[in-house]
Amino acid sequence: MQEKILEVRSLTAKYVTRKGEVPALRNIDLEIYAGERVAIVGESGSGKTTLASILTRLEPSNLVIEEGEVIFGGRNILEAVEEDLREFRKKEVSVIFQNPSESLDPLYKVGTQVIEALRAAGLNGGRKELRRVAEDLLRKVNLPNPSRIFESYPHELSGGQKQRVAIAIAIAKNPKLLVADEPTTALDVSVQTKILELLVKINEELGVTEVLITHDIGIAHDFAERIIVMYGGKVVEVGRTEEVVADPLHPYTKHLINSLPRGGDLPPGDSRVVDFRIPRDGCPFAPRCPLASEACRKVEPKLTAIDGRLVACHNLRAVKPQSFEV
Amino acid sequence: MEVLRYLLRESKTGMAGLAIILAFISMALLANLIAPYDPMNAVLGDARQPPSPQHPLGTDELGRDLLSRIIYGARTTFLIAVSSTFTAFAVGTALGILSGYLRGAVDAAVNGGTQILLSLPGIVIAIIFVALWGPSLVNLIIAIAIGFIPVYIKLMRAATLQVMSMEYIQAAKMLGLSNLKIMVRHVLPNVLPVGIAQLSTDVGFAILTASGLGFLGLGLDPSIPEWGAMIGSAKNYIFVAPHIIIEVGAVIALSAIGFSLLGNALRDYIDPKRR
Amino acid sequence: MNLKPLFFIGKRLASMALIVVGVVIILFFLLHLAPGNPAQILAGFQATPEVVHQIEVKYGLDKPLYVQLMTYLTNMIRLDLGTSIMSQRPVTDEIMARLPNSLMLATVAIVEAIAISLPLGVLAAAKAGSRFDAAVTAFTSIGVALPTFWTGLMLMLLFAVELHLLPAGGIGGPQNFILPSITMAVPISAPIIRVTRNAALEVLEKPFVKLAIAKGLSMREVLMKHVLKNALIPAVTLIGLQFGVLIRSAVITETVFAWPGIGKLLVDSIFARDYPLVQGTVFVIAIIYVAINLALDVAYVVIDPRLRSGVSTEWRF
Ligand SMILES: Nc1ncnc2c1ncn2[C@@H]1O[C@H](COP(=O)(O)OP(=O)(O)O)[C@@H](O)[C@H]1O
Ligand code: SF4
Ligand SMILES: [Mg+2]
């Protein structure tokens, strides 16, 4: 396969709150390859945002990383000092958040904020020159009338326009990796598709590696070449999009696909079940899993290679008898 | 009780404030037991003595034991501070709830009054009132209270507006409860916590205002042990016997700090964002 | 042509004028309903009834109260605030001689308070939970609780009496500003720090701050450009609400440091029962209140572009 751009090894993290500790990530292992588009899918609370915040080193102050490594460019960025982190942020990694209305500072003009990103990325020059570059960027993200947008304040733009500005800021540094956390969730459905198309275009034309985080496996399917499924702070299945969607192996992935409204002839999943307590031992999905056994509640299943895929489930033999463990 | 548990667990500073306040209150209550001397007993030969083994805090300009006067002074000073803040609290809460609940003309009138009071600072009203009506205990209390009223009106009006949007108020209205009943039974208990946090902070402010008035020469009769009045007579001896004003001022500061620490902790406690 | 802003400004000015008139009326009654006959007090207690009557006539005190009030209000509109009894000079002259001193001192104090409070508040929030934060938070509780006369006297005893570094009072050079302005700044800065810290804590959680960090800006740039500016509106609002504290510390500070400003003028005139001067001084204080609030309205709009197009923000209260 291609070159790995990012590698996460047995990453475990928890939140410390007044009410106690909340486990957020359990032993995450994953790899991201240069130039690919990958989606991390899972329902709300599965730890996607936490993972994204660690990958970009923007984690909240009450998150404690207990264990693990995140290797980027040959270095463990969890051990990077502030100066190295700034280099990493200036040149290598960009991020896009869910709510475009909160991603831009309400008190500054859009143009100022784009130029700030260009300057931070090391571009020198007068405001006039930088303005030309900034307007080019705005044009690149398909914003009509870039010079008007440049002069606008965030509140004067629509949600979709703001998200495009956020994308322009993200690509201003020509990043190697772009992490987008639910970038379309806050937008109208008609706008969602356009933003996704834009992200695909950026990946294809600029070669930026993109990690898209979403709770919607449909969006993951439309966007990604590869899918990483998370549940209860764990990676439960990893595989090529077509394969995962056509033939989900993990019971949770099956549930996700069955819950899709356009799930074809599959029976709709039980969407009434929303709030399950996630056990700290054994398989996180056990309380909801139709195949759960005593062993599932006691022993945590490890990610296991099977048919070019990775799945964390004890009952793989039940689903795929020919599987083997590595 | 839940408040206490919160203070114990989450707010060391709030606990410190509470401890300071309790210490001062016990001091005031037990004054006749713990004060080493009669606070009124003037020994002119001992006037303006710096701290010594006989007089741990020294003596005042008439040779009275300063420690004893400070201990007894807590009674009057706290009486003034607590009465004036509670008066302001009661008046402000009533007006604030009325104006938030009834809206319309009442609201407009109360709002106008609040604006006027805000632009006429409390200290100015207090100075004029005490100077012209005379520095009696009651006048001091009223004078200090007036300055605090607009704060409570604003706070309680805002809190009432918030409560008014709740469903149970609408439900109570549907049941045909009288406005007065709704205000007393449903609005008041819900807005009270906001006022109580402010109350703690303001008792401290009232102590400061009283001592400020004392400093300006508008305190009670100087024979009465009261911190503000003590400041008023001590300031004439600031260069001769600085210990009097330093000590009394420090005691005033310490008690006000106690109320301010507790008030801030309580405000954090009721602020939903901080929970 | 869009008349809306004009309408808005007109309404605002009208309500402010009403406030000032309200202040004058309340003050008028506060003064005139006080026990004791002011003419008698002015004339001295040994004065004969004839002398007292002469004084009543001279100051219009013999007319019914409402006539006196109407006279005062109409004169006020012409900015004729009467004659000071103490000095026999026009009240406006007396006030104008003192007002600049007060304004300068207060401005220096406010600038000091803001210059210290905003960075401290933002830094404390950025280091929330640290010892630095705890110290700053403790100061916010302590600063408001220090009696102003005491802070002033302590500073004076230390820096003027003991160390002979600074003058103990009066006006003169810039060194005369140091002690009184610090005395005044302490009680104003404590609440500004508190509000700035709480606002900054909230701003720090906003995605746009994370985005600014993600751009690779230094923490200093993030705090100064994005956090501080967004925490400014609650702080500015607070400055308006702190007017009472400002005047209280001005009155006492000016008295402690023998600063010839209107705070001291107010106290002196009350003791002298110089009613025209008392009324004039309070009138000017009310005007300052109104002016500060107008200035803050402008400040909001300068800081927050959303207010320019009439979109409300969550900050304003
Ligand atoms: N700042 C935080 N403090 C405490 N708990 C948090 C915080 N953010 C998220 N969590 C908890 O961590 C878990 C994972 O959350 P998150 O990473 O946001 O999931 P997702 O993005 O998949 O919805 C959830 O249980 C959530 O409640
Ligand atoms: S390990 Fe057990 S409980 Fe977990 S998904 Fe597999 S079968 Fe279900
Ligand atoms: Mg999320």
Side-chain angles (χ1 to χ4, degrees):
Chain A
M1 244 198 180
Q2 312 106 296
E3 173 203 354
K4 281 179 207 162
I5 186 172
L6 183 94
E7 199 176 342
V8 177
R9 288 288 157 246
S10 56
L11 182 64
T12 303
K14 65 184 177 195
Y15 287 101
V16 180
T17 70
R18 289 185 171 190
K19 293 194 187 97
E21 297 186 345
V22 185
L25 297 179
R26 283 162 65 169
N27 252 311
I28 302 269
D29 283 309
L30 56 84
E31 278 139 20
I32 309 286
Y33 299 99
E36 73 169 339
R37 289 192 307 275
V38 57
I40 299 180
V41 194
E43 65 195 28
S44 169
S46 50
K48 309 179 300 288
T49 296
T50 308
L51 178 59
S53 74
I54 297 177
L55 298 187
T56 50
R57 287 310 313 272
L58 293 168
E59 65 273 9
S61 52
N62 65 332
L63 184 76
V64 178
I65 299 174
E66 294 163 278
E67 209 200 311
E69 303 183 318
V70 176
I71 314 276
F72 181 93
R75 279 176 317 145
N76 179 4
I77 57 166
L78 298 185
E79 286 170 355
V81 292
E82 190 55 38
E83 277 161 53
D84 294 338
L85 274 186
R86 269 190 71 198
E87 283 308 303
F88 165 78
R89 289 172 179 145
K90 283 178 177 182
K91 307 248 161 75
E92 327 251 41
V93 176
S94 284
V95 58
I96 295 167
F97 299 112
Q98 171 167 347
N99 189 345
S101 299
E102 299 220 301
S103 310
L104 300 176
D105 189 328
L107 306 185
Y108 293 94
K109 284 184 182 172
V110 164
T112 313
Q113 302 189 49
V114 178
I115 286 185
E116 184 183 59
L118 289 170
R119 284 232 164 89
L123 207 66
N124 296 316
R127 200 175 154 88
K128 260 204 188 128
E129 284 167 73
L130 289 179
R131 175 170 185 150
R132 233 194 1 263
V133 183
E135 287 185 7
D136 279 346
L137 272 174
L138 294 174
R139 201 167 293 119
K140 219 180 256 175
V141 295
N142 300 338
L143 277 164
N145 202 345
S147 60
R148 205 205 76 224
I149 303 269
F150 185 95
E151 288 290 345
S152 303
Y153 283 99
H155 72 268
E156 294 164 341
L157 305 183
S158 72
Q161 286 174 321
K162 277 184 270 202
Q163 199 60 302
R164 285 176 197 277
V165 173
I167 295 174
I169 288 174
I171 59 176
K173 67 180 83 157
N174 238 323
K176 296 204 174 93
L177 176 67
L178 172 59
V179 178
D181 187 357
E182 310 259 11
T184 61
T185 308
L187 303 175
D188 292 343
V189 184
S190 56
V191 186
Q192 287 190 0
T193 325
K194 299 224 175 81
I195 295 287
L196 281 183
E197 283 168 8
L198 175 62
L199 287 173
V200 171
K201 183 183 112 177
I202 285 168
N203 165 261
E204 285 172 350
E205 290 180 5
L206 306 179
V208 181
T209 312
E210 291 181 346
V211 176
L212 177 88
I213 292 192
T214 173
H215 63 277
D216 184 341
I217 199 163
I219 286 181
H221 172 258
D222 293 345
F223 170 83
E225 298 154 352
R226 225 155 52 85
I227 286 184
I228 297 172
V229 183
M230 283 183 72
Y231 184 80
K234 268 179 70 79
V235 171
V236 296
E237 180 160 1
V238 182
R240 303 210 54 79
T241 304
E242 298 311 326
E243 294 170 24
V244 172
V245 172
D247 180 21
L249 291 183
H250 193 280
Y252 175 63
T253 318
K254 282 187 185 151
H255 163 82
L256 274 183
I257 293 187
N258 290 354
S259 315
L260 274 180
R262 48 176 160 159
D265 47 16
L266 289 165
D270 193 353
S271 52
R272 280 168 304 162
V273 224
V274 202
D275 195 23
F276 264 99
R277 280 191 60 93
I278 291 168
R280 296 193 179 206
D281 297 312
C283 173
F285 194 55
R288 293 167 69 175
C289 181
L291 302 177
S293 63
E294 208 40 45
C296 300
R297 293 195 183 86
K298 294 209 175 97
V299 186
E300 194 170 319
K302 297 238 158 16
L303 262 188
T304 306
I306 166 172
D307 289 354
R309 244 188 279 180
L310 298 170
V311 184
C313 175
H314 289 310
N315 268 329
L316 282 183
R317 279 175 200 85
V319 225
K320 285 242 159 180
Q322 71 275 36
S323 70
F324 59 94
E325 287 202 15
V326 278
Chain B
M1 283 312 98
E2 201 201 320
V3 181
L4 266 183
R5 225 175 301 133
Y6 165 82
L7 289 179
L8 266 175
R9 230 180 327 121
E10 308 271 344
S11 173
K12 278 187 213 140
T13 51
M15 272 318 282
L18 189 60
I20 294 174
I21 295 168
L22 289 179
F24 272 106
I25 291 179
S26 358
M27 189 174 100
L29 292 178
L30 303 176
N32 41 350
L33 295 179
I34 54 178
Y37 294 86
D38 176 352
M40 312 292 247
N41 189 20
V43 182
L44 285 177
D46 285 348
R48 304 195 294 265
Q49 293 300 310
S52 65
Q54 287 83 23
H55 298 284
L57 296 183
T59 59
D60 74 356
E61 70 281 357
L62 294 177
R64 297 171 293 201
D65 179 55
L66 210 50
L67 176 61
S68 306
R69 284 184 73 75
I70 287 176
I71 293 176
Y72 272 94
R75 287 187 171 176
T76 327
T77 304
F78 275 43
L79 178 71
I80 295 173
V82 170
S83 317
S84 55
T85 14
F86 273 76
T87 309
F89 174 68
V91 175
T93 304
L95 288 175
I97 293 181
L98 273 176
S99 100
Y101 186 92
L102 296 175
R103 309 299 303 271
V106 177
D107 195 21
V110 172
N111 243 331
T114 313
Q115 281 296 321
I116 291 172
L117 277 184
L118 277 178
S119 59
L120 193 57
I123 188 80
V124 174
I125 302 181
I127 294 174
I128 295 175
F129 192 85
V130 177
L132 300 187
W133 263 264
S136 73
L137 193 63
V138 175
N139 284 353
L140 265 180
I141 292 172
I142 297 177
I144 298 173
I146 297 175
F148 287 121
I149 292 176
V151 179
Y152 287 99
I153 297 181
K154 277 191 103 148
L155 261 182
M156 294 312 207
R157 181 177 175 277
T160 304
L161 288 180
Q162 236 170 22
V163 172
M164 290 298 289
S165 60
M166 305 280 177
E167 273 168 20
Y168 56 82
I169 300 289
Q170 302 309 319
K173 277 190 176 169
M174 302 284 265
L175 283 175
L177 287 188
S178 76
N179 280 344
L180 185 65
K181 267 197 182 142
I182 298 179
M183 281 188 259
V184 173
R185 278 209 214 136
H186 299 285
V187 180
L188 185 62
N190 284 297
V191 299
L192 225 42
V194 185
I196 288 173
Q198 184 67 29
L199 206 54
S200 170
T201 312
D202 282 349
V203 174
F205 274 141
I207 295 177
L208 294 183
T209 310
S211 69
L213 287 173
F215 176 77
L216 295 175
L218 295 166
L220 293 177
D221 183 293
S223 68
I224 304 171
E226 192 278 320
W227 297 345
M230 289 162 75
I231 291 291
S233 30
K235 91 172 156 170
N236 302 324
Y237 304 97
I238 164 136
F239 298 114
V240 191
H243 72 275
I244 312 180
I245 212 160
I246 294 179
E247 288 166 10
V248 180
V251 169
I252 292 170
L254 186 62
S255 64
I257 287 170
F259 285 105
S260 153
L261 287 172
L262 180 65
N264 282 344
L266 290 179
R267 213 175 307 159
D268 286 343
Y269 171 70
I270 56 168
D271 184 352
K273 272 180 271 169
R274 308 244 86 24
R275 281 227 245 181
Chain C
M1 195 177 123
N2 186 359
L3 288 176
K4 239 187 181 164
L6 277 182
F7 179 71
F8 176 77
I9 294 168
K11 222 174 112 179
R12 195 99 177 95
L13 285 175
S15 76
M16 301 230 148
L18 274 180
I19 290 175
V20 175
V21 171
V23 168
V24 169
I25 294 177
I26 288 191
L27 186 71
F28 186 85
F29 285 112
L30 202 58
L31 292 176
H32 289 265
L33 295 181
N37 177 354
Q40 178 82 60
I41 296 168
L42 291 174
F45 285 97
Q46 287 85 17
T48 58
E50 289 75 46
V51 176
V52 173
H53 185 69
Q54 274 176 5
I55 291 188
E56 277 178 349
V57 174
K58 181 172 174 197
Y59 292 103
L61 295 168
D62 56 333
K63 307 223 174 67
L65 261 192
Y66 73 93
V67 176
Q68 294 182 37
L69 177 59
M70 289 322 290
T71 318
Y72 189 80
L73 284 176
T74 31
N75 287 342
M76 190 186 84
I77 292 170
R78 292 184 286 125
L79 284 181
D80 169 10
L81 300 176
T83 310
S84 159
I85 298 173
M86 284 195 288
S87 68
Q88 294 297 324
R89 297 203 310 158
V91 167
T92 18
D93 291 2
E94 287 286 326
I95 291 176
M96 289 321 283
R98 309 289 198 96
L99 187 60
N101 295 336
S102 285
L103 290 182
M104 273 193 297
L105 179 58
T107 309
V108 173
I110 293 177
V111 168
E112 280 173 7
I114 293 178
I116 291 171
S117 310
L118 294 180
L120 269 188
V122 168
L123 267 183
K127 301 186 175 182
S130 70
R131 268 196 212 158
F132 173 76
D133 179 35
V136 171
T137 307
F139 171 76
T140 64
S141 288
I142 294 171
V144 284
L146 297 178
T148 301
F149 68 84
W150 191 71
T151 328
L153 287 176
M154 293 303 107
L155 290 175
M156 186 202 282
L157 284 176
L158 181 62
F159 291 100
V161 180
E162 285 294 319
L163 302 175
H164 298 288
L165 284 177
L166 293 165
I171 49 171
Q175 73 275 13
N176 289 67
F177 276 88
I178 300 177
L179 295 181
S181 66
I182 293 177
T183 305
M184 268 183 86
V186 169
I188 321 174
S189 53
I192 303 182
I193 295 176
R194 191 177 155 81
V195 164
T196 309
R197 176 184 173 274
N198 287 350
L201 271 182
E202 245 173 81
V203 176
L204 279 166
E205 292 299 312
K206 301 266 183 192
F208 67 77
V209 171
K210 301 215 159 178
L211 193 73
I213 298 172
K215 284 175 180 174
L217 301 184
S218 70
M219 210 52 208
R220 225 191 57 136
E221 283 172 293
V222 174
L223 292 179
M224 296 301 287
K225 273 199 200 154
H226 297 282
V227 179
L228 198 148
K229 197 167 177 192
N230 276 279
L232 215 49
I233 290 207
V236 164
T237 305
L238 187 79
I239 295 171
L241 295 175
Q242 288 272 93
F243 183 69
V245 177
L246 185 72
I247 297 293
R248 189 181 69 191
S249 21
V251 167
I252 292 178
T253 307
E254 291 183 3
T255 308
V256 170
F257 291 98
W259 190 270
I262 53 166
K264 190 157 185 322
L265 184 66
L266 176 71
V267 177
D268 294 345
S269 61
I270 289 174
F271 279 118
R273 293 281 195 290
D274 190 341
Y275 286 6
L277 195 48
V278 174
Q279 267 186 320
T281 317
V282 176
F283 169 71
V284 168
I285 291 176
I287 299 265
I288 295 175
Y289 174 79
V290 167
I292 288 183
N293 275 284
L294 281 176
L296 292 182
D297 277 352
V298 176
Y300 289 131
V301 175
V302 171
I303 297 170
D304 193 337
R306 286 167 293 185
L307 295 171
R308 274 169 241 165
S309 45
V311 181
S312 71
T313 71
E314 51 192 298
W315 286 124
R316 227 171 153 204
F317 46 82

